[in-house]
Amino acid sequence: MTELLHFTADWCQPCKKIKPLIDEYISNNPDIKYTRIDIEEDFDTAKYYNVMSIPTLIVIKDNMVYNRHTGMATPEKIASLFE
């Protein structure tokens, strides 16, 4: 199984801008599990994955970190995380 972890916060403007791009990618790829993690509410998970800045996207494949990206991303960059 492939999962996308999206680390974010309500106050983060880049996080708000990237959200529609992620939503579109996930809607076009329903086989990918999507988990939104607000770092203000789930600091332990952010710490576990060593998230130091947001937005951070982490792709999990076979229960292991496969890829990650921090900062704004284009639709192409989001797709490339799964390649």
Side-chain angles (χ1 to χ4, degrees):
M1 177 176 74
T2 302
E3 181 176 9
L4 175 62
L5 304 179
H6 175 202
F7 291 88
T8 186
D10 288 339
W11 48 262
C12 172
Q13 292 304 313
C15 299
K16 291 177 182 178
K17 290 181 182 177
I18 199 173
K19 179 77 169 84
L21 304 177
I22 294 169
D23 288 345
E24 182 178 351
Y25 186 82
I26 295 300
S27 71
N28 291 330
N29 297 276
D31 55 318
I32 297 172
K33 180 182 176 188
Y34 171 71
T35 304
R36 180 185 181 275
I37 301 164
D38 187 314
I39 62 165
E40 300 284 327
E41 296 172 10
D42 193 353
F43 178 76
D44 291 339
T45 302
K47 185 176 176 182
Y48 176 81
Y49 285 102
N50 199 30
V51 173
M52 305 299 250
S53 184
I54 55 173
T56 293
L57 305 175
I58 298 178
V59 175
I60 306 292
K61 284 189 180 183
D62 301 321
N63 295 316
M64 297 184 69
V65 173
Y66 176 76
N67 213 340
R68 70 186 292 148
H69 175 79
T70 300
M72 273 303 296
T74 62
E76 295 80 16
K77 178 61 182 177
I78 295 168
S80 75
L81 294 173
F82 296 89
E83 295 173 356

